[in-house]
Amino acid sequence: MQNQHSFDRHDSGTLYLVPTPIGNLDDMTMRAVKVLQSVDLIAAEDTRNTQKLLNHFDITTKQLSFHEHNTQQRIPELIAKLRDGLSIAQVSDAGMPSISDPGKELVQAAIAAALPVVPLPGANAATTALIASGLAPQPFMFYGFLPRKASEQKAVLAALALQEQTVIFYESPYRLAKTLTAIQAVFGERQATLARELTKLHEEFIRGTLSELATWAQESARGEFVVMVAGAKPQAPAISDQPLAAQVAQRVAAGEKPTAAIKAVAKANGLRRQDVYNAYHGLEETS
Ligand code: SAM
């Protein structure tokens, strides 16, 4: 067990986790500015990007790069500096550090070294999107970016399909339409909301069914997006009431080969294998 009293006097430095705006610079908090001004060093995902923010707020603190490709090398350096009594603020390019961004390993290393880790509240795309989504705000599940590999993506979606909480994903505009179609194939038809370009001039909310949003995304996906999908209806239906693709995906996630899973689902539903194969692969129905 470990008990951290964040604001007691410490001989070591403190690791501050500082959120930065996700579009609108006015969303920088006064405390975030003060902390970035007062620390000895800022560990930034992209120092050039963060320099623009620092210039805007007249912050002159020195920066060090800390991103996914130098995490392992940087952590011992940063922990040594904290032990020497230097205070460090970690920032990512936008929003909360560690949320689909670098940070987690540094936080874990600081905790392992019994160094104080102090988070600041602030901008975050997921929760900002959620409160205007119109979907149930709690319980919710933040997933972040789905795996890109189709088989891994299907397995994750199958595991999420029965969850009754609102599920939040991040997705790039280039994969948005495909991802919405993949979610619909496994979850079945559900209400969903896209939050686009939050806090920016072209902020937009698109609310509808997964199919409607997938069609919209094929035409209009530009900018940054949060995808939110309503949870499964309470009292999860029996497996045979699930969409065919979900039934297959659940079996595959449980370790069955896709061909065996398709055969089993076809048998359970009294269908032809070809129909289940098509449903699983998102192909047109054959007659
Ligand atoms: N750390 C950030 C946070 O706290 O939200 C998330 C960083 S993650 C690398 C970037 C993804 O967050 C984008 O691809 C998009 O899905 C989402 N995102 C970030 N800013 C956004 C915005 N202004 N509007 C909508 N989505 C945004």
Side-chain angles (χ1 to χ4, degrees):
M1 200 180 96
Q2 194 195 63
N3 188 345
Q4 168 187 311
H5 290 276
S6 296
F7 303 113
D8 281 1
R9 242 195 66 75
H10 298 282
D11 291 332
S12 64
T14 293
L15 174 63
Y16 293 95
L17 311 175
V18 180
T20 55
I22 55 170
N24 187 330
L25 286 180
D26 287 349
D27 292 332
M28 188 75 175
T29 68
M30 287 163 75
R31 185 171 171 216
V33 172
K34 277 188 197 163
V35 167
L36 293 182
Q37 250 158 4
S38 64
V39 290
D40 299 290
L41 186 67
I42 297 171
E45 182 179 10
D46 179 337
T47 53
R48 278 197 300 183
N49 182 57
T50 299
Q51 193 57 51
K52 292 181 204 151
L53 182 80
L54 300 186
N55 293 345
H56 184 84
F57 290 102
D58 290 326
I59 299 166
T60 53
T61 310
K62 226 173 79 186
Q63 294 192 69
L64 188 73
S65 72
F66 178 74
H67 48 71
E68 57 176 335
H69 303 296
N70 69 4
T71 300
Q72 292 315 322
Q73 170 208 331
R74 282 289 194 236
I75 284 176
E77 290 174 39
L78 293 170
I79 296 294
K81 288 182 195 300
L82 288 162
R83 281 197 165 122
D84 285 347
L86 298 187
S87 279
I88 299 176
Q90 191 234 331
V91 300
S92 64
D93 276 353
M96 292 259 171
S98 279
I99 301 297
S100 295
D101 264 342
K104 176 189 74 183
E105 292 90 348
L106 177 60
V107 170
Q108 288 171 344
I111 292 169
L115 295 161
V117 178
V118 173
L120 270 62
N124 165 249
T127 48
T128 305
L130 179 64
I131 56 172
S133 65
L135 303 175
Q138 65 269 317
F140 75 85
M141 201 262 188
F142 172 70
Y143 190 83
F145 291 98
L146 281 163
R148 290 194 198 176
K149 209 171 150 199
S151 57
E152 289 171 20
Q153 187 181 91
K154 266 189 185 140
V156 168
L157 289 173
L160 296 176
L162 297 179
Q163 308 248 4
E164 292 175 15
Q165 61 259 52
T166 303
V167 189
I168 308 179
F169 302 100
Y170 285 163
E171 191 48 289
S172 96
Y174 311 107
R175 287 185 293 277
L176 185 65
K178 205 170 159 203
T179 299
L180 287 166
T181 305
I183 296 173
Q184 198 263 334
V186 180
F187 282 24
E189 196 62 289
R190 294 216 193 147
Q191 280 302 120
T193 300
L194 299 176
R196 170 176 176 261
E197 295 287 85
L198 287 164
T199 79
K200 305 181 200 175
L201 189 63
H202 298 293
E203 177 177 294
E204 195 175 357
F205 287 87
I206 304 102
R207 304 180 179 98
T209 61
L210 281 166
S211 314
E212 286 169 340
L213 300 190
T215 306
W216 179 90
Q218 271 156 17
E219 303 282 308
S220 328
R222 273 182 301 280
E224 295 195 278
F225 287 91
V226 178
V227 179
M228 292 154 288
V229 186
K233 292 241 158 55
Q235 280 123 40
I239 191 156
S240 57
D241 293 333
Q242 293 285 322
L244 293 173
Q247 294 180 43
V248 177
Q250 279 163 26
R251 285 172 172 274
V252 172
E256 270 186 40
K257 291 228 158 53
T259 20
I262 287 168
K263 190 175 166 189
V265 169
K267 193 168 173 211
N269 291 274
L271 293 170
R272 295 184 316 154
R273 264 188 247 175
Q274 186 64 44
D275 293 329
V276 180
Y277 178 96
N278 289 351
Y280 181 59
H281 291 287
L283 303 173
E284 290 292 307
E285 273 185 21
T286 57
S287 54

